[in-house]
Amino acid sequence: MRALGVYRETEFSPGKIEHDAAILDAVLAELKRHGVEVSAISAARLVDDSPAGADLVLAMCQGERALGRLVALEQQGAIAVNSALAIRNCYRDLLCAGLVHAGVPMPTGALVRTGSRPPDLTPLGVLDLDAPMFVKRGDLHALAPDDVQRVESRGALRSALAGMAERGVPVAYVQQAVEGRVVKFYGVSGGEYFVALDEEGEKETLSEQVRLELARSAAAAAATLGLETWGGDAVIDGDRFMMIDFNDWPSFSRVREAAARAIARRCLMLARRPRQAG
């Protein structure tokens, strides 16, 4: 069995280049320990060299050209973790609809185009524009500090949208702010792994009920989006939570060793699972 790792593009890994590479390297090392032949390449090389012959592709890439090449490898029979479709589903323009479809609790939000002067706020009629909101770039996850901004008023909202337009971000996702403590969660599908951490990276003290409900909701979101390895953020308020973000293959930097073992187990299970003909 041959496994090919594809590193995330540096532009999609702000401040996390080493951590993102480290989790991929750790998973490849674990697979090698199980007798898998492993190699790794950059997303740029995936696009330019068009490698073939891998049984498994461990894909952290997120750019459209790399995803196009990943689709081709999947069509040739490779199993991708995560698949090109699942990665694309985590672009914010598709993500929010996917989370709604999965039925996870989440704050009210809507997409709005940034380019009109003044910005047309009509699509945001489902939100309370006089209450705190988060303005997030509407395609990819945050690549720069201003890609996620908290605003407290309509005027600040318009200013944030105009600023995104000036930076070439055509669509924003505006999400109602919710109060509580933020937890980061990480998981691997198939019930292989789940953990919730506080913002300092320590294991979060959650009631068993909340932990189980958060794990179930995260697994449902991952299944709807098609993800095998994933993470996200939730806001906890007492015995309730709201999921505020979800993403494909995070760096798992605080739990790398355990996560790498779980991802490798999931990859091996998927690779050995009988495939349906046609």
Side-chain angles (χ1 to χ4, degrees), residues 86-114:
I87 295 168
R88 182 61 183 86
N89 282 341
C90 289
Y91 279 40
R92 212 178 294 279
D93 57 345
L94 298 181
L95 173 65
C96 302
L99 295 180
V100 169
H101 184 69
V104 303
M106 57 184 295
T108 303
L111 291 164
V112 61
R113 300 203 67 81
T114 65

Side-chain angles (χ1 to χ4, degrees), residues 14 30 36 60 76-77 113 153 158 173 195 211 216 244:
E30 190 68 19
V36 178
M60 295 190 76
Q76 293 167 16
R113 300 203 67 81
S153 66
R158 291 189 177 95
Y173 181 71
V195 68
R211 193 193 72 81
R216 289 192 192 105
I244 58 174

Side-chain angles (χ1 to χ4, degrees), residues 44-181:
R45 189 174 159 205
L46 174 69
V47 172
D48 295 338
D49 292 353
S50 302
D55 304 294
L56 277 167
V57 182
L58 283 63
M60 295 190 76
C61 52
Q62 293 180 321
E64 291 186 5
R65 294 181 67 200
L67 294 186
R69 279 300 306 146
L70 184 57
V71 168
L73 293 177
E74 292 180 78
Q75 291 173 341
Q76 293 167 16
I79 294 173
V81 176
N82 291 300
S83 71
L85 177 59
I87 295 168
R88 182 61 183 86
N89 282 341
C90 289
Y91 279 40
R92 212 178 294 279
D93 57 345
L94 298 181
L95 173 65
C96 302
L99 295 180
V100 169
H101 184 69
V104 303
M106 57 184 295
T108 303
L111 291 164
V112 61
R113 300 203 67 81
T114 65
S116 59
R117 292 289 189 276
D120 179 11
L121 304 184
T122 304
L124 305 182
V126 294
L127 285 87
D128 181 355
L129 302 185
D130 296 310
M133 297 160 281
F134 282 94
V135 183
K136 308 179 180 183
R137 67 178 299 149
D139 47 6
L140 295 159
H141 290 273
L143 306 181
D146 288 342
D147 284 349
V148 177
Q149 302 177 49
R150 182 182 171 108
V151 299
E152 308 283 339
S153 66
R154 294 170 188 253
L157 170 62
R158 291 189 177 95
S159 177
L161 293 174
M164 285 192 175
E166 290 173 3
R167 293 189 292 111
V169 179
V171 179
Y173 181 71
V174 183
Q175 186 178 66
Q176 203 79 64
V178 291
E179 302 306 321
R181 54 194 173 101

Side-chain angles (χ1 to χ4, degrees), residues 173-227:
Y173 181 71
V174 183
Q175 186 178 66
Q176 203 79 64
V178 291
E179 302 306 321
R181 54 194 173 101
V182 176
V183 301
K184 294 185 175 294
F185 58 85
Y186 303 91
V188 180
S189 292
E192 290 290 349
Y193 185 75
F194 181 82
V195 68
L197 305 177
D198 63 22
E199 290 187 284
E200 282 69 48
E202 301 297 328
K203 279 200 173 181
E204 182 59 61
T205 304
L206 301 175
S207 70
E208 186 64 11
Q209 176 187 348
V210 171
R211 193 193 72 81
L212 288 173
E213 289 181 359
L214 178 58
R216 289 192 192 105
S217 288
T224 298
L225 299 167
L227 294 168

